[in-house]
Amino acid sequence: MENLTKNALQFLDVLRMALSSDASQWDEETLKRAFEWAAFFEKVHSRLPSKPHHVKELDSRLKQMGNEMALSFGEKQFGFDFLGQASRYVERVLLQNEHLDRELYRQLLDKYGRRGRCNGSGSALVEDVSSIRVEGAKMQCLQSTR
């Protein structure tokens, strides 16, 4: 469990960088590693439910780490359930980052198509972009009330 927690902390750091201007320094290899981390945690999510005690303990640790790093993923809190859609969250975080290199952004959009989530209407892409816009509007409203 300790190794898993340490790996989750590294993944959180990857997400933190993906949310920030640090993403401007990313190259294809960095992007690939971010999605490898996400795939790893999606496997963890699919295999661990047979051990409910471990799920509860890991969920608690992940939520604590997410809170300590004060990372926002919209309405979703970093925890065990988050891991099941880790790739999607990497995509969403990068999709909204204006600092991401144009070529990497293009590759990110291609991922939507390759995963079959961007059918003729681009439904997953449209859903993610809409969600990002709603989250941005909520933040603007909150900031204006201060």
Side-chain angles (χ1 to χ4, degrees):
M1 187 63 66
E2 288 303 316
N3 284 338
L4 199 51
T5 303
K6 287 178 186 176
N7 287 341
L9 189 57
Q10 287 183 300
F11 182 55
L12 263 176
D13 196 45
V14 167
L15 290 171
R16 181 198 54 76
M17 289 185 289
L19 279 164
S20 73
S21 61
D22 292 345
S24 67
Q25 304 300 313
W26 283 28
D27 57 15
E28 287 184 41
E29 186 61 30
T30 309
L31 184 66
K32 179 183 171 191
R33 281 195 311 267
F35 282 102
E36 287 171 352
W37 272 115
F40 168 78
F41 280 107
E42 287 171 352
K43 284 182 186 176
V44 167
H45 182 268
S46 69
R47 293 180 181 167
L48 210 55
S50 63
K51 300 176 182 174
H53 173 72
H54 292 305
V55 169
K56 187 175 180 178
E57 182 181 348
L58 181 61
D59 186 55
S60 176
R61 288 182 183 193
L62 295 176
K63 286 178 178 173
Q64 181 181 359
M65 290 185 321
N67 288 337
E68 287 171 2
M69 290 185 81
L71 294 178
S72 175
F73 304 103
E75 310 244 338
K76 190 75 163 181
Q77 184 178 16
F78 189 70
F80 183 74
D81 289 339
F82 181 98
L83 300 181
Q85 294 187 325
S87 293
R88 181 100 186 251
Y89 281 97
V90 170
E91 289 170 346
R92 288 183 68 193
V93 163
L94 290 171
L95 188 61
Q96 64 185 314
N97 191 327
E98 64 189 22
H99 301 286
L100 190 65
D101 176 78
R102 183 176 292 225
E103 180 55 33
L104 294 181
Y105 197 81
R106 192 171 291 120
Q107 289 178 26
L108 180 63
L109 293 176
D110 287 345
K111 280 187 173 294
Y112 277 88
R114 283 198 308 272
R115 292 195 179 160
R117 292 202 316 256
C118 191
N119 57 24
S121 66
S123 59
L125 178 60
V126 169
E127 180 183 315
D128 285 351
V129 169
S130 296
S131 177
I132 290 166
R133 292 184 57 88
V134 168
E135 290 166 14
K138 286 179 185 176
M139 290 302 293
Q140 285 180 338
C141 287
L142 288 172
Q143 289 172 350
S144 69
T145 60
R146 290 183 182 190

